[in-house]
């Protein structure tokens, strides 16, 4: 499949701290300042009751918005990729010569109805968070139409109805699908961008509040390293990223991993889940170093690398952004599954 034909973004499952994983199809983002510097420049949340209520509402909204994006968009994306993989030309659609055009499974009606209802419910909570709330409502309004078409296409291909209509139905479905997909893509993109903006803002505030309350503790370094990983992952997306800036971020990241590890090892009996998390931090660190060296040293992809990249296996090629993303997603999965917050 020609991956550049699709504007896809998938984020991994996350918990209340809003840890977001992603894929390598992203808009260009410049390398940013270190997360620790950003935390230092961010005002800490006020301690008044209204601000606490505001933060609680934001948490409720983000958790719903992220969960709905994960479930509904992931199901849609899986089908879009499965469909596109089988087409010689994604935009032109089926020719009738494809050996198998079944998609990748249904977008469950429960995903559609639950997300629509849950998003509308939390979007009404006060205070409003714009443009996040509007982006979420737009997503919940646009996703069902594309999801329904995908389900209809799945049924059409699974029952092999194209054998009865000389692919007329397949071509009609494709025209409808492309129209809805093109309309939905920018809405989904705007939605995840707004989620990421608010999620990052909340995370930076959490880091600042944690440092004020308990100093540079295990919790502080855990929140800091996971946010630094996100910043670095975004920063090495383009092949012309600022090598000096990313090198500095990576050095700070390595120092913070070391400091976290020392604190964990000082009382390992109380933090038995942390070595696994630290291991994933170091694997991500290694993947970024390989990416950095390839770009810094202008190392070209050899014939085998190019073959792997062109066949959708970029994550298996050292020095690609996809390989960094793969390590980042493993890091997020580890954080979420280990429930490290129980050992802070």
């Amino acid at each position: 499949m020609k991956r550049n034909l699709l504007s896809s973004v998938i984020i991994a499952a996350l918990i209340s701290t809003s840890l977001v994983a992603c894929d390598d199809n992203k808009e260009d983002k410049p390398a940013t300042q270190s997360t620790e510097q950003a935390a230092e420049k961010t005002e800490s949340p006020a301690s008044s009751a209204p601000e606490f209520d505001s933060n609680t509402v934001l948490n409720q909204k983000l958790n719903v918005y992220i969960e709905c994006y994960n479930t509904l968009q992931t199901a849609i994306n899986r089908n879009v990729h499965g469909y596109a993989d089988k087409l010689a030309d994604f935009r032109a659609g089926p020719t009738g010569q494809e050996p198998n055009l079944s998609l990748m499974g249904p977008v469950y009606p429960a995903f559609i109805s639950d997300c629509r209802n849950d998003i509308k419910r939390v979007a009404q909570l006060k205070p409003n968070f714009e443009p996040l709330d509007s982006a979420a409502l737009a997503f919940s309004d646009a996703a069902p139409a594309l999801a329904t078409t995908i389900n209809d296409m799945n049924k059409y291909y699974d029952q092999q109805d194209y054998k009865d209509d000389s692919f007329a139905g397949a071509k009609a479905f494709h025209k409808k699908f492309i129209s809805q997909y093109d309309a939905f893509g920018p809405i989904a993109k705007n939605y995840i961008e707004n989620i990421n903006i608010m999620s990052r803002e909340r995370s930076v505030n959490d880091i600042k509040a944690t440092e004020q309350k308990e100093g540079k503790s295990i919790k502080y370094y855990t929140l800091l390293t996971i946010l630094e990983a996100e910043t670095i992952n975004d920063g090495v997306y383009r092949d012309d990223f600022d090598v000096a800036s990313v090198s500095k971020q990576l050095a700070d990241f390595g120092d913070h991993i070391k400091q976290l590890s020392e604190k964990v090892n000082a009382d390992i009996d109380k933090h038995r889940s942390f070595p696994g998390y630290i291991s994933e931090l170091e694997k991500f660190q290694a993947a970024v170093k390989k990416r950095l060296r390839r770009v810094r040293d202008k190392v070209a992809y050899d014939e085998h690398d190019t073959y792997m990249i062109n066949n959708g296996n970029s994550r298996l090629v050292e020095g690609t952004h996809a390989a960094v993303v793969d390590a980042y997603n493993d890091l997020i999965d580890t954080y979420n599954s280990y429930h490290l917050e129980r050992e802070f």
Side-chain angles (χ1 to χ4, degrees):
M1 168 185 131
K2 310 298 188 298
R3 292 286 172 184
N4 60 338
L5 295 178
L6 302 176
S7 57
S8 60
V9 271
I10 306 175
I11 54 179
L14 31 133
I15 60 174
S16 60
T17 49
S18 289
L19 303 187
V20 180
C22 56
D23 81 349
D24 57 334
N25 296 310
K26 302 173 65 127
E27 286 297 303
D28 295 346
K29 294 183 179 180
T32 58
Q33 64 184 342
S34 72
T35 307
E36 189 169 47
Q37 290 173 327
E40 290 172 355
K41 294 181 180 180
T42 303
E43 293 297 326
S44 61
S47 58
S48 62
E51 183 66 22
F52 175 81
D53 291 341
S54 175
N55 287 337
T56 299
V57 171
L58 177 58
N59 287 342
Q60 291 177 328
K61 290 187 176 188
L62 278 174
N63 289 339
V64 169
Y65 294 163
I66 290 168
E67 177 64 20
C68 285
Y69 190 93
N70 286 342
T71 55
L72 190 50
Q73 177 66 6
T74 298
I76 289 173
N77 238 30
R78 183 178 63 247
N79 278 278
V80 171
H81 283 186
Y83 181 54
D85 277 339
K86 298 176 176 68
L87 299 174
D89 187 329
F90 176 68
R91 306 301 304 185
T95 63
Q97 303 303 311
E98 294 82 7
N100 177 18
L101 270 173
S102 62
L103 280 71
M104 300 296 289
V107 182
Y108 293 107
F111 288 175
I112 301 171
S113 61
D114 287 353
C115 281
R116 175 184 279 171
N117 294 335
D118 289 345
I119 285 177
K120 288 183 177 180
R121 172 178 56 81
V122 298
Q124 295 175 354
L125 298 176
K126 302 298 180 183
N128 294 329
F129 289 91
E130 294 295 350
L132 176 62
D133 291 332
S134 294
L137 289 169
F139 175 83
S140 69
D141 288 340
L146 178 58
T148 299
T149 296
I150 287 172
N151 286 338
D152 291 342
M153 290 172 69
N154 269 312
K155 182 178 179 181
Y156 174 85
Y157 286 112
D158 287 346
Q159 297 190 1
Q160 301 183 349
D161 290 341
Y162 51 85
K163 293 182 178 180
D164 302 324
D165 63 10
S166 300
F167 259 77
K171 293 177 180 179
F173 268 129
H174 183 77
K175 182 178 180 180
K176 182 179 182 181
F177 166 82
I178 283 292
S179 176
Q180 292 175 337
Y181 176 76
D182 287 345
F184 177 70
I187 293 172
K189 176 177 174 291
N190 182 55
Y191 182 37
I192 186 56
E193 286 179 349
N194 277 281
I195 286 175
N196 284 335
I197 289 170
M198 294 303 296
S199 177
R200 182 176 181 81
E201 180 179 320
R202 179 177 65 171
S203 296
V204 171
N205 284 338
D206 285 346
I207 292 168
K208 181 66 174 180
T210 298
E211 183 178 14
Q212 289 180 335
K213 181 179 180 180
E214 55 192 66
K216 294 184 176 182
S217 61
I218 286 178
K219 179 180 179 180
Y220 169 83
Y221 282 116
T222 302
L223 298 178
L224 181 61
T225 52
I226 204 71
L227 191 54
E228 285 178 321
E230 178 189 350
T231 301
I232 293 170
N233 179 59
D234 288 346
V236 299
Y237 168 59
R238 295 178 51 163
D239 288 338
D240 61 350
F241 64 80
D242 187 331
V243 170
S245 177
V246 172
S247 296
K248 176 61 168 61
Q249 292 173 4
L250 193 59
D252 291 342
F253 181 63
D255 288 342
H256 298 150
I257 294 173
K258 180 180 178 181
Q259 290 160 2
L260 173 61
S261 182
E262 289 174 352
K263 287 183 175 296
V264 167
N265 290 333
D267 197 2
I268 189 63
D269 287 341
K270 293 183 179 179
H271 308 290
R272 291 187 174 275
S273 297
F274 272 85
Y277 171 68
I278 292 170
S279 175
E280 293 301 326
L281 286 172
E282 291 172 343
K283 289 178 183 176
F284 173 76
Q285 180 186 34
V288 176
K289 286 181 178 179
K290 292 173 183 176
R291 171 75 170 153
L292 183 66
R293 292 173 190 133
R294 183 179 287 277
V295 172
R296 182 195 64 201
D297 302 336
K298 296 180 173 57
V299 179
Y301 297 110
D302 61 24
E303 184 177 351
H304 177 71
D305 292 340
T306 302
Y307 173 82
M308 296 291 285
I309 292 169
N310 289 340
N311 284 275
N313 292 309
S314 300
R315 67 184 182 85
L316 302 178
V317 178
E318 289 187 354
T320 61
H321 182 245
V324 174
V325 168
D326 198 47
Y328 176 71
N329 287 343
D330 287 344
L331 171 63
I332 300 304
D333 288 343
T334 298
Y335 184 103
N336 291 337
S337 62
Y338 280 28
H339 298 288
L340 299 177
E341 71 279 3
R342 295 180 301 194
E343 296 180 13
F344 285 156

